[in-house]
Every structure is written in structure tokens, then in C-alpha cells.
Amino acid sequence: MTEMSVRPGVETAVATSHSPRLRHFRRYWQLYVMMLIPLILLLLFKYAPLFGNILAFRRFRPGMGPFGTDWVGFAYFERFLSDPAFWRAFNNTLVLSFGNILINFPIPIIFALMLSEVRNVKFRKLVQTISYMPRFISTVVVIAILSEILSPSSGLINRFLVDVFGMSPIYFMNEQQYFRPIYILSETWQFTGWTAIIYLAAITGINRELFEAADIDGAGRFQKIRYVTIPSIMSTIMVMLILNVGSLLSLGFEKVLLMYTPSNAMVSDIIDTLVYRTGLMNQNYSYATAIGLFSGVVGVILVSGTNWFSKKVSGESIY
């Protein structure tokens, strides 16, 4: 009798505890179905390819399976670590990435701070719209624009140098010394406004009472930026820094490939172009996978190290 009387009560309690979840799911099941689409894409294109990293330890032979045939261990890692072409690409990647971070990481922050101080709302919106529009221009179009502007025969820059200073035309897109400045400055033009949106959103979320208190204390505009705005968005700045450092070895592959020429190959050949040339063009998939896996592991180490350093210094981290 006791057992029969307790069991229905337990089942009722379980049904009651689960009923809000069931009601919520039944009410919003369309949203959960829609969520399946990006989830499937994430699993299919981000996580499923991780199994392909086994090729870094196995010899791939065409027509004999996608995961290789013979186990070779770390043979491909030893091979590329002793390859001068890899170390040249590794050095080019680091120099280009550090230069890009050094210049293009603080510029969106400064731009967002300046834009937030503009009192004319219409002008601020106009500048913001114009600044982030280049983000939607295709990389191919960006390189085509650069090629036209920097053309040695009809480019605006060369026409100005020839007509005003009497200089000989310069083939900017083909010279080694101009490759890195052109890449970094084109990134500045294309992504400053887009990245600044993140910092503008963080600035908008700052409690207005902090600025009112600063006004009462007699703080000027620059003092408010220094002591209120920047400390308030420091968490956003550190998260963006961690993400930038994490992608240190993953530059804009398309842009570098489109700017690549045999004449500037000594400075434009990066890890991504080396993997592309080795894997797809030479069909040496195992060797290219080993290089790509090494780059990914270094990226994880950089993210973890930067996250730890950020947590120690500022108390801010992403995990």
C-alpha cells in the first residue's frame, strides 16, 4: 500500500517539474529548429574537419582513403621544421602579424573614442557609416583598387610623384619593401570603422553617472577619456587583444595571395600561402596538414598565454 501510494506522487512531482520545460519547448520549438541550422554548419565545417588532422601523422596516397595509409609519426613535422622555406614563411607571418596588431589594434580604439566625443549626432552617424562601409567590399575588389591607384603607368600615386617631384614610376605592388606597408594600411582602411563599432557599443554602455561625477569633480574631456572611458571599456579591449593574438598566425590569406608576386615572394610568402601551395597545388596533403596543425597549436598556446597574462595584469579574461 505504501509503495503504491508513494509512486504516483513521485511521478506527479517529476511531471510537474518537467512541465515548464516542455511547455517552453512546445511554445518556441520553431526557434529551436532554426537554431539547428547554424549548429549543424558549425559541427560540419568547424569540428568535423578536426578529424582530418590525422593526416599529419599518416602518409596520404591518392585513391587510398582520405585518412592516409601508413603511420609515419612525426616525420612530416621533422621535415618542415628543417625546411628553410617554412621558417621564412613563419618569420614573414610573425612580422606582418605583429606590425598589423601594433598599428591596427589601437587605431579603432582611438577612432571610437574620437567619434564618441562628437556632439553632432547626424555627422557622427555619417562618419560611422562611411568608415565601416569598406568592410563589405570584396577582397578582390580592394586589391583591384590598390592596383589601379598604385599602377606605375596610370596610378594616381605615381602620376603625382612623376609630375610633382620628377621621380621615376614605382611598381609598388611588385616591390618587397612596399608589400607590408600596403597590406597593413589597406587593413586600416578596410576594418577600422567595422572594429570601432565594438568599442562604440562598449562606450555607449558606460554608466552616464560616471561622467556626471567627473564633471562635478572638474574633469576635462581628456581626463574623462583617461579616467572614465578607457577603464570602463578595458574588458572589451583585452578580449579583442586576446582574439587578435590568437589569430597571429592566421592572416588574411586571400589578400596576401592576391598581392603575391614572384618579386615580393621573399616577404609575402606566409604560412597560409605555404600550406595552400604545398597542399593544393603540389598535392602534398600530409605535409601541408602538419604545417597547419602546428600553426593551430601555436594559436591555442598564444590565446591561453595572452588570456593568462590579461587575467594577471588587468583581471579581465575570456575564460
Side-chain angles (χ1 to χ4, degrees):
M1 291 291 294
T2 305
E3 184 177 340
M4 293 295 292
S5 62
V6 171
R7 187 172 299 170
V10 174
E11 292 176 353
T12 303
V14 172
T16 303
S17 64
H18 283 235
S19 58
R21 297 179 183 177
L22 290 175
R23 286 198 303 268
H24 179 81
F25 179 77
R26 288 171 183 172
R27 184 177 180 181
Y28 299 106
W29 66 269
Q30 298 93 338
L31 298 178
Y32 285 100
V33 172
M34 292 176 61
M35 190 175 65
L36 284 176
I37 299 174
L39 182 61
I40 292 172
L41 292 176
L42 180 67
L43 293 174
L44 187 62
F45 293 103
K46 295 297 182 180
Y47 287 95
L50 291 176
F51 294 102
N53 285 325
I54 193 66
L55 274 180
F57 308 96
R58 296 174 67 86
R59 180 176 288 108
F60 176 82
R61 293 177 179 175
M64 300 186 69
F67 298 106
T69 55
D70 305 320
W71 183 266
V72 296
F74 292 95
Y76 291 111
F77 292 89
E78 296 172 357
R79 178 179 168 186
F80 77 72
L81 288 175
S82 60
D83 186 0
F86 167 77
W87 289 112
R88 184 183 68 213
F90 185 78
N91 177 70
N92 290 338
T93 304
L94 288 181
V95 172
L96 199 57
S97 295
F98 276 117
N100 194 36
I101 291 177
L102 185 65
I103 294 175
N104 288 330
F105 181 75
I107 287 179
I109 301 174
I110 298 171
F111 180 72
L113 292 172
M114 294 173 61
L115 202 58
S116 66
E117 294 297 320
V118 176
R119 300 305 178 207
N120 191 317
V121 178
K122 291 184 178 180
F123 179 75
R124 183 171 68 236
K125 290 182 178 180
L126 176 64
V127 172
Q128 186 176 352
T129 302
I130 294 174
S131 65
Y132 72 67
M133 284 182 64
R135 168 64 178 79
F136 301 100
I137 300 177
S138 170
T139 304
V140 177
V141 177
V142 171
I143 300 304
I145 294 172
L146 286 175
S147 299
E148 288 297 322
I149 294 176
L150 301 175
S151 171
S153 57
S154 59
L156 295 176
I157 304 298
N158 273 299
R159 290 292 297 273
F160 176 78
L161 294 176
V162 172
D163 295 341
V164 176
F165 297 101
M167 298 174 57
S168 300
I170 302 173
Y171 198 166
F172 290 100
M173 300 294 288
N174 209 39
E175 299 291 336
Q176 293 185 18
Q177 63 267 33
Y178 299 114
F179 173 81
R180 288 166 181 160
I182 291 173
Y183 177 89
I184 293 173
L185 292 177
S186 65
E187 289 283 294
T188 305
W189 172 75
Q190 195 171 7
F191 295 105
T192 293
W194 179 258
T195 309
I197 293 176
I198 300 174
Y199 300 112
L200 283 170
I203 293 172
T204 304
I206 298 175
N207 191 342
R208 296 293 102 183
E209 293 180 357
L210 296 176
F211 293 103
E212 293 173 3
D215 288 331
I216 294 173
D217 292 337
R221 179 168 294 185
F222 289 102
Q223 289 176 317
K224 286 189 287 186
I225 292 175
R226 179 179 178 183
Y227 295 108
V228 177
T229 307
I230 293 179
S232 298
I233 65 171
M234 185 56 66
S235 59
T236 304
I237 293 174
M238 296 310 299
V239 169
M240 293 297 293
L241 178 62
I242 293 170
L243 294 176
N244 275 269
V245 173
S247 59
L248 196 67
L249 299 183
S250 300
L251 286 166
F253 164 73
E254 298 89 351
K255 183 176 290 185
V256 173
L257 187 64
L258 290 168
M259 294 176 62
Y260 178 94
T261 66
S263 298
N264 63 26
M266 294 299 293
V267 295
S268 63
D269 193 22
I270 60 174
I271 290 179
D272 287 342
T273 56
L274 179 64
V275 170
Y276 166 77
R277 189 171 61 254
T278 305
L280 294 180
M281 297 183 67
N282 299 335
Q283 298 185 349
N284 196 343
Y285 298 112
S286 295
Y287 186 60
T289 303
I291 299 175
L293 181 59
F294 172 81
S295 176
V297 171
V298 172
V300 171
I301 294 173
L302 289 172
V303 168
S304 301
T306 310
N307 186 75
W308 174 86
F309 178 77
S310 173
K311 193 171 185 179
K312 287 289 184 181
V313 174
S314 64
E316 304 290 344
S317 63
I318 58 176
Y319 60 86

